[in-house]
Amino acid sequence: MEDEGIKSALELAMERVSKLPGLSAEEIARQREKEFRPLGEAIGHRYLEGILAAQELAPEAGRHEGDAGRIVRRGLVDSLSGAIGPENRAAAERALAGLLALAGKDEDGEAAAEWARLLGEYEERRAALAEEQAAGARKRLAKLGISGSAVVPVMERDEEYRRALEGVRREFEPALERLRSRLRREAEGAR
């Protein structure tokens, strides 16, 4: 039969694949990370949005076993720890509670006190910076002939203020990262 010499596209593809070298352990690990990490991140996002309760985090992450389970949990923990920052206080406090729940703790007075201290210092610096920058903005507006009690600069739109605020955030980042790292270690280590 003449058709015996003609191979299907599937047969040709299989021959080509069989000639390719196998994936290295590192490539396999990267592939597994790409496959399972988003599952953990999705659990974290659902929790931060209020769809899941803190008590549901460990069971949700525990649906996967072995290496896949560790990757899912790491994605979840990283998602929650990434939400700990001064920009969104409610999300940060929810993330802190979620990480403590994953670590098997109802509360951690030390972590909560450290978070409250950092947030208080940040808010104090932010408010002082906003007042200082607003005074400068009012002076610039006065030079243009715009003044009066109704003139209230919107600092969030002021580029100079945003740059200065970013500098304040960078100053607080090392302390925040130490807190995040500690919480990540505790949450990843607990099962």
Side-chain angles (χ1 to χ4, degrees):
M1 191 177 210
E2 285 182 33
D3 290 336
E4 290 180 9
I6 300 174
K7 296 181 179 179
S8 72
L10 178 60
E11 290 173 320
L12 290 171
M14 293 303 287
E15 282 181 16
R16 288 184 185 145
V17 167
S18 68
K19 293 177 185 175
L20 292 175
L23 294 175
S24 70
E26 185 178 299
E27 291 169 327
I28 291 171
R30 264 197 309 271
Q31 287 291 72
R32 289 185 62 77
E33 187 79 23
K34 283 173 61 175
E35 180 181 354
F36 291 106
R37 184 177 180 82
L39 298 174
E41 291 170 349
I43 294 168
H45 291 297
R46 288 192 335 222
Y47 169 72
L48 291 172
E49 291 172 3
I51 297 169
L52 293 174
Q55 302 80 10
E56 295 175 285
L57 290 174
E60 283 288 320
R63 290 182 184 207
H64 300 276
E65 296 177 358
D67 191 41
R70 284 187 291 280
I71 294 169
V72 168
R73 190 174 184 98
R74 190 170 49 244
L76 167 59
V77 167
D78 287 348
S79 173
L80 295 180
S81 68
I84 297 176
E87 294 79 24
N88 186 339
R89 183 179 187 159
E93 289 174 358
R94 186 157 174 81
L96 181 67
L99 288 167
L100 292 175
L102 282 170
K105 299 178 176 182
D106 289 333
E107 61 181 70
D108 181 339
E110 185 180 325
E114 178 68 7
W115 165 246
R117 183 188 67 76
L118 287 170
L119 186 63
E121 287 179 18
Y122 174 81
E123 287 298 325
E124 209 173 272
R125 294 273 307 277
R126 187 199 56 75
L129 177 66
E131 184 54 42
E132 175 186 311
Q133 294 286 323
R138 281 192 290 276
K139 285 180 185 176
R140 288 190 302 274
L141 290 170
K143 286 182 182 178
L144 297 171
I146 303 169
S147 62
S149 61
V151 176
V152 179
V154 178
M155 297 315 301
E156 288 73 25
R157 293 185 182 165
D158 186 87
E159 188 61 37
E160 190 175 323
Y161 170 73
R162 290 196 312 237
R163 276 194 306 271
L165 184 58
E166 185 57 38
V168 171
R169 283 187 190 120
R170 278 193 303 271
E171 288 177 33
F172 279 87
E173 190 55 36
L176 279 170
E177 187 52 38
R178 283 191 297 276
L179 176 63
R180 288 185 203 115
S181 293
R182 184 181 128 224
L183 292 167
R184 273 194 303 265
R185 278 191 310 275
E186 290 175 6
E188 284 180 8
R191 291 286 171 186

